[in-house]
Amino acid sequence: MACNSTGCESGCYDREKDNGSKIVEDAVVTQESVCVKCKCNEPMTFGDGGSEDGRFCAECFRNNVFGKFRLAVTSHAMITPSDNVLVAFSGGSSSRVALQFVHELQIKALKNYEASRDRSLPVFGVGVAFVDETAAFPALSTEMIDAIEWIRSTVSSLSPPAKGLHVVPIESVFGSDSLDPRDRLVKLLDSVPDDTGKEDLLLHLKMLSLQKVASENGYNRLVVGSCTSRIASHVLTATVKGRGYSLSADIQHVDARWKVPIVLPLRDCVRQEITRLCLLDGLKTVELACRSQSGINDLVSSFVALLQEENPSRECTIVRTAAKLTPFYFNKIPETDDSNVPMATQRRLKRFNLKYDGSMTTEAFCPICNGPQNRSDSSELDYFEEGQESDALYAACCSSCRFQILPQDGSSREQFGSFLPDHMISQVKHQKVNSQAYLREKIKDCLLLDDEEVV
Amino acid sequence: MEAGEAKSKRAGGSRLCCICNKRRPVLKRPKTLQQICRECFYEVFEEEIHQVIVQNRLFKSGERVAIGASGGKDSTVLAYVLSELNRRHNYGLDLFLLSIDEGITGYRDDSLETVKRNEVQYGLPLQIVSYKDLYGWTMDDIVKMIGLKNNCTFCGVFRRQALDRGATLLKVDKLVTGHNADDIAETVLLNILRGDIARLSRCTSITTGEDGPIPRCKPFKYTYEKEIVMYAYFKKLDYFSTECIYSPNAYRGFAREFIKDLERLRPRAILDIIKSGEDFRIATTTKMPEQGTCERCGYISSQKWCKACVLLEGLNRGLPKMGIGRPRGNGNGDNKHTKAGSTAKSIESKQCGSLDF
């Protein structure tokens, strides 16, 4: 507690104001002059007009943010000694902090490893991935080259332990045997009529390219630096796009519906904390012009910013509300019987084992956004014609992707389908087969003929 | 539905209504952006509402139904369309108008005149219930006491009960209100912003209160506010078009502005918000309020006293913050009980309504 009297005996550490004037004995000090947490250091003032300014000292502030990160990692078994972790790095502040924190965790693990006698716990591996979107934004190619240079030097400065850097061109989603991937990407994006849909499709492609580089290079975790603020925006954009059912899948700490599970260790940190931390620790970031949004996504960002002005804790309330929605069975790291995984990790995974009934595991996923679909929505899966791939695509997609991403008429849709990455199309076929098989399973004990003629 | 959208905009040369292809289009439909003629607009507007009523089984033949009528565009159009559909499709309903007088000068007194005219124009019997009679306070008195923040809370709570009491007076089986798609979308957003998961799970229901005194439903759940205005405009319906004078300070204003901007970008987003609200995965084991009755007046309540009684108590004792926000500890000497559990106190207060349940 701050006091203003030189005769104070509580032992608090009082400081004079910078302008040299001594605090008048009877005047009330309006601002705390010690950190409210440790009560010994001088509080940091960021002067950014944000909340909670001038309350914590640099150390306590930093420990607070890192503490939240570490708690998320340990309680959700995000990173364990046997893992090989790929950090998605965009150059922005959140992913920069995520990279920094993961690096610090790794250093600590290395120190423990070297200090331990039996060397039982290995140090997890860390790689960094940057998605190069030049193919989608050709005008930004010089900016991108500079950014990549900067990223290269930043990553190499984060060693030891050394980290592999993977610069992933976004057109790599089409696979190495695609004829002219850049051109194909441009054609794909141009055939999307809606601006917001175009933006969202690009995001889905980005995730696909990250998944590709992760699985091809032996990573088993993908760290994404999404913070509370980003998730708050996502809650609202999902709501206004009619994606209320799949929302709870996207905002948890763990998203294991992908081949390489995605983890969000900064989910409980707000952007203000992250920006301040970058300032405090001198972490440089790069803002690429292609990050700017348009359409609905931009409208929602502005809306959230407006709400924040009115009440700085609004973002947290939004995420807290959405966190009360029921997650899916894949929103946790799957249990494993792998003997390479340390017992402590296995125990931790078991602790979060939630009971789900079997029907949950036959969730259908939209081939474009990978959103789980309400069974009643996907009841149209049966109506498509044989060989009519575009209609199969329409039937398999969620209503949001149908509206904002798929072209409206049949022939454009067919063309669009031909441009899509093979991985997405194979999802459609996979679903087609799956739904029939699923229904057959349910009724097979009543079927008299056991060959496929009976449909 | 989206088929007509971009197509008809570019094919500006086809100067015919999208639907009938006979008449000249006079408007662009807000929901779908189709260019259609007046008659087709009336038809799709009325037909969509009829489908909502039928598919959701809102009414049964022979029911007595009260229409919450404020004199504004939603309730006027509701009264008009409902009596029309009742006739056209033989719903077999006995319709009434029920109006609440909150005592807001320069707003409610004017709109009530509109409702009285509606009674004559549509031939529907009218019942007016006033806050002054029920609670002994008008909204103007309340605002004088508590200021311009949180007054919507008082008005909303009081109105809900007032509607139920009015419905009892009329001996009706059901209440219909003119809540439209925009209203419901705003409510979904508000509940997300304010952290109310329990309300979030209920607010998209088209029928509510089935286990309470009077069930109420919202036939306009999927009807756009803009289309309601359009209908009233073209049909030259008599309605009162001013907003409540206290509304600029409401938090709902944030959500409303946002939805207006959203509608401009993507008209179907309003329905998408409602769809999201319906699809949210909210566990049925989520702590829901337990239903009981108010000790003071007998109205339905999840606490010892219903919210209206709590608020009234606060007003009568000159404690404007009672019942607003989270329960507070005993700050000053005056024993503030936000949950008025101590019935030992005998306060000279104005009666909470002359009707007991």
Side-chain angles (χ1 to χ4, degrees), chain A residues 63-323:
Chain A
N63 288 342
N64 187 350
V65 187
F66 185 75
K68 286 199 266 199
F69 167 85
R70 195 177 39 208
L71 182 63
V73 169
T74 48
S75 59
H76 293 90
M78 288 184 183
I79 303 174
T80 57
S82 54
D83 288 333
N84 211 5
V85 165
L86 183 66
V87 178
F89 186 54
S90 66
S93 51
S94 288
S95 56
R96 181 67 187 90
V97 170
L99 181 57
Q100 187 67 30
F101 281 177
V102 168
H103 170 62
E104 286 178 21
L105 271 188
Q106 199 190 28
I107 289 180
K108 180 90 193 297
L110 182 61
K111 212 163 72 172
N112 291 344
Y113 177 78
E114 284 169 350
S116 79
R117 213 169 294 156
D118 57 358
R119 308 255 158 135
S120 58
L121 289 179
V123 179
F124 62 90
V126 176
V128 181
F130 173 77
V131 179
D132 180 354
E133 293 175 84
T134 312
F137 304 100
L140 300 173
S141 55
T142 21
E143 196 185 332
M144 203 65 82
I145 293 172
D146 292 337
I148 293 174
E149 257 327 292
W150 173 81
I151 289 173
R152 224 174 268 284
S153 64
T154 305
V155 172
S156 60
S157 73
L158 287 173
S159 63
K163 296 162 182 51
L165 172 64
H166 308 266
V167 176
V168 188
I170 190 161
E171 63 268 26
S172 64
V173 288
F174 299 122
S176 48
D177 49 354
S178 174
L179 274 178
D180 186 353
R182 283 200 165 198
D183 185 55
R184 183 170 168 181
L185 179 73
V186 170
K187 285 204 176 78
L188 176 64
L189 292 176
D190 279 347
S191 52
V192 178
D194 186 281
D195 276 344
T196 309
K198 211 185 295 249
E199 228 172 79
D200 287 355
L201 178 59
L202 201 53
L203 283 174
H204 303 318
L205 293 174
K206 258 172 90 170
M207 180 48 69
L208 219 55
S209 61
L210 283 169
Q211 284 288 318
K212 197 160 183 291
V213 72
S215 66
E216 281 172 2
N217 290 279
Y219 294 98
N220 69 334
R221 292 283 182 270
L222 181 62
V223 169
V224 170
S226 299
C227 61
T228 306
S229 316
R230 180 179 291 276
I231 293 180
S233 285
H234 183 80
V235 169
L236 296 181
T237 53
T239 302
V240 310
K241 291 170 186 169
R243 304 169 56 90
Y245 182 75
S246 57
L247 172 59
S248 57
D250 307 330
I251 58 167
Q252 307 302 324
H253 288 94
V254 175
D255 181 359
R257 68 192 125 144
W258 304 90
K259 183 144 179 264
V260 179
I262 301 172
V263 297
L264 273 51
L266 290 180
R267 182 189 175 277
D268 306 311
C269 304
V270 293
R271 191 163 287 134
Q272 181 180 269
E273 285 176 311
I274 288 176
T275 316
R276 284 179 173 177
L277 190 68
C278 287
L279 210 61
L280 185 64
D281 283 1
L283 300 176
K284 298 274 179 296
T285 60
V286 63
E287 283 307 317
L288 292 164
C290 58
R291 301 274 167 254
S292 69
Q293 301 170 308
S294 65
I296 303 230
N297 299 327
D298 181 50
L299 181 67
V300 168
S301 295
S302 317
F303 181 52
V304 176
L306 180 67
L307 293 175
Q308 280 291 110
E309 265 174 41
E310 189 265 341
N311 182 339
S313 49
R314 191 60 67 193
E315 286 169 334
C316 297
T317 309
I318 294 173
V319 175
R320 198 168 47 239
T321 315

Side-chain angles (χ1 to χ4, degrees), chain B residues 24-43:
Chain B
R24 256 191 66 231
V26 300
L27 61 99
K28 199 167 64 179
R29 217 195 145 184
K31 194 183 251 187
T32 59
L33 301 179
Q34 290 170 300
Q35 300 193 340
I36 56 180
C37 67
R38 191 194 304 228
E39 289 78 10
C40 286
F41 174 60
Y42 295 157
E43 216 175 287

Side-chain angles (χ1 to χ4, degrees), chain A residues 239 242 244 314 321 326-327 404, chain B residues 192-193 195 251 266 275-276 281:
Chain A
T239 302
R314 191 60 67 193
T321 315
T326 312
Q404 66 168 19
Chain B
I192 294 175
L193 298 182
Y251 193 70
R266 187 186 281 188
K275 177 175 193 298
S276 288
R281 286 159 60 96

Side-chain angles (χ1 to χ4, degrees), chain B residues 16-24 35-37 39-40:
Chain B
L16 286 178
C17 163
C18 279
I19 300 180
C20 67
N21 266 307
K22 283 190 291 198
R23 293 173 283 260
R24 256 191 66 231
Q35 300 193 340
I36 56 180
C37 67
E39 289 78 10
C40 286

